[in-house]
Amino acid sequence: MSSGAAQLIEQLDPASTVLLTVECQRGVVGPDSALPELADAARNSGALARVARLVAAAHDAGVQVLHAVAERRPDGRGAGRNARLFRAAERLPVQQLTGSTAVRIADPIPVSEDDLVVRRLHGLSPVAGTEVDALLRNFGCRTLVVTGVSANVAIPNAVFDAVNLGYTAVVPADAIAGVPADYTAAMVRNTLALVATVTTTDDVLAIWRRLRGGR
């Protein structure tokens, strides 16, 4: 066994690992997405299907799953306007409104009654300024597996925040997506690989199967 494989096995111990899905909601990656180019990238690349496989495997292995959802109130209270992205989102034909179908977890991702959904009304990060850090500490988390969208904004934010907070970040590079489609590989290679353990969905699944079988 290589040192890299041994390290990944240690990092992915189900007792101290949490799987985070980022903005894998119907209004972002579903068929009626507010961001159809991003939805197409997530689906056509197979990233969304791989997120679903990872979530199902996490359920089987006893790995806690958190779903990070971005939403806004119908009156816009609490939402920021201090970035071009936020102002553009206000004008999109599909709004990520609290309680709407747009903020439900997208198919084919399975959601267990043990999963937690963390919703945010502001900011760019699914971690900073949300309940995620406190929840991770209460779960005894040491490793955060980051999946979902987008490789442009929310995914790097999640990884940086996790590392800054003292967690080990693991990124299955084929289970994230961004736009344009080829940007994701560049982000992984030039940025995320510097701060996170970059791996594949199949490697994570194989490790969780192995660890589950050893219990």
Side-chain angles (χ1 to χ4, degrees):
M1 181 186 303
S2 70
S3 59
Q7 180 185 50
L8 190 58
I9 289 171
E10 181 180 359
Q11 290 174 343
L12 292 175
D13 177 359
S16 57
T17 299
V18 172
L19 173 65
L20 179 70
T21 76
V22 178
E23 296 181 26
C24 290
Q25 57 204 72
R26 295 185 186 184
V28 175
V29 295
D32 298 319
S33 170
L35 303 165
E37 186 181 2
L38 178 58
D40 287 346
R43 291 180 174 274
N44 295 341
S45 68
L48 187 62
R50 294 186 190 98
V51 174
R53 291 172 61 202
L54 285 162
V55 171
H59 292 160
D60 290 342
V63 173
Q64 179 65 49
V65 177
L66 295 183
H67 303 283
V69 171
E71 58 183 47
R72 69 185 276 120
R73 287 168 48 109
D75 61 10
R77 285 182 180 273
R81 301 194 77 254
N82 58 328
R84 176 184 172 192
L85 178 64
F86 302 145
R87 296 190 295 275
E90 293 177 349
R91 300 189 296 272
L92 291 174
V94 177
Q95 293 289 305
Q96 315 299 318
L97 298 181
T98 300
S100 70
T101 59
V103 297
R104 295 180 185 172
I105 304 304
D107 294 332
I109 297 172
V111 179
S112 159
E113 63 181 11
D114 292 329
D115 294 1
L116 295 182
V117 179
V118 179
R119 304 179 184 278
R120 77 179 195 274
L121 293 173
H122 65 90
L124 300 170
S125 174
V127 178
T130 73
E131 296 178 283
V132 168
D133 180 37
L135 293 173
L136 295 180
R137 295 187 188 283
N138 288 344
F139 287 131
C141 176
R142 292 197 301 270
T143 297
L144 186 65
V145 181
V146 180
T147 66
V149 297
S150 73
N152 305 75
V153 179
I155 294 296
N157 266 271
V159 171
F160 295 152
D161 289 339
V163 172
N164 285 333
L165 290 166
Y167 302 103
T168 295
V170 171
V171 179
D174 54 358
I176 65 172
V179 289
D182 59 0
Y183 178 77
T184 300
M187 167 57 76
V188 170
R189 181 175 60 253
N190 296 307
T191 302
L192 299 185
L194 302 178
V195 295
T197 299
V198 175
T199 185
T200 66
T201 294
D202 284 345
D203 283 348
V204 174
L205 296 177
I207 288 171
W208 282 343
R209 281 194 300 267
R210 174 175 176 171
L211 293 175
R212 188 174 73 246
R215 288 204 294 246

